Amino acid sequence: MIISDSFAIFMYLEEKYPQHPLLPSDLAKKALNFQAANIVSSSIQPLQNLAVLKYIEEKVSPDEKIPWTKFHIEKGFEALEKLLKDHAGKYATGDEVSMADLFLAPQILAGIERFNVDMAKFPLLSRLNEAYSELPEFQNAKPENQPDAPSA
């Protein structure tokens, strides 16, 4: 079986490896994690897929591809800042890595590296990005560190 959706992959791993839970047992924190992950997976990430970017380039203008994408990323980042501001600890929803962090880390990185998002507008997400950069597991999970990554 091949699982290709981020949410499905996460839920599969959460069930398969219950000894390492990434969803908090507290219902309010669990809901907060689902909200943050949903903002990334449904309101930000799909709008920067290659098929969407190619469509914008062809139907609107090649010059509009990056500004259009940045607009949507920043709109999502604003929502995440507002959602997490009263709940974040060292990580997105507390002092332990959770589901929200797994969705946020690659999205923040893509915003910075692929779309030049000005992270000064997003102090909480910037702080979280710094915390993620200190975790070897997050560094090892970067696309360029995967065995099938294209060589530069």
Side-chain angles (χ1 to χ4, degrees):
M1 176 173 81
I2 296 173
I3 305 171
S4 61
D5 175 77
S6 298
F7 244 99
I9 292 166
F10 176 86
M11 296 308 292
Y12 173 84
L13 294 172
E14 186 73 0
E15 295 287 327
K16 185 166 176 72
Y17 302 102
Q19 66 274 28
H20 302 290
L22 290 164
L23 276 173
S25 56
D26 176 87
L27 288 178
K29 277 194 173 190
K30 188 180 285 190
L32 186 63
N33 273 270
F34 283 129
Q35 283 181 275
N38 268 316
I39 289 170
V40 171
S41 67
S42 66
S43 299
I44 303 174
Q45 194 278 328
L47 301 173
Q48 65 193 30
N49 284 342
L50 293 178
V52 173
L53 296 179
K54 185 174 178 166
Y55 182 86
I56 296 297
E57 189 173 345
E58 290 174 359
K59 300 293 183 185
V60 180
S61 161
D63 297 336
E64 288 302 313
K65 181 171 70 170
I66 299 299
W68 186 88
T69 307
K70 279 178 73 169
F71 170 81
H72 290 286
I73 292 171
E74 290 178 358
K75 187 175 171 186
F77 281 7
E78 288 168 9
L80 288 162
E81 286 268 332
K82 186 175 180 179
L83 175 69
L84 300 173
K85 70 178 178 178
D86 296 327
H87 305 283
K90 183 172 183 180
Y91 303 109
T93 62
D95 292 327
E96 301 290 327
V97 170
S98 64
M99 176 191 207
D101 301 298
L102 300 186
F103 280 75
L104 286 169
Q107 183 56 66
I108 294 169
L109 202 59
I112 294 167
E113 293 182 357
R114 288 180 61 204
F115 302 104
N116 301 312
V117 170
D118 177 7
M119 292 303 292
K121 301 178 198 174
F122 310 106
L124 174 59
L125 297 181
S126 293
R127 183 179 62 72
L128 293 175
N129 188 52
E130 288 176 27
Y132 302 148
S133 72
E134 296 171 4
L135 297 171
E137 297 86 353
F138 279 59
Q139 296 308 305
N140 293 338
K142 285 182 172 183
E144 64 268 20
N145 295 331
Q146 300 313 302
D148 60 347
S151 54

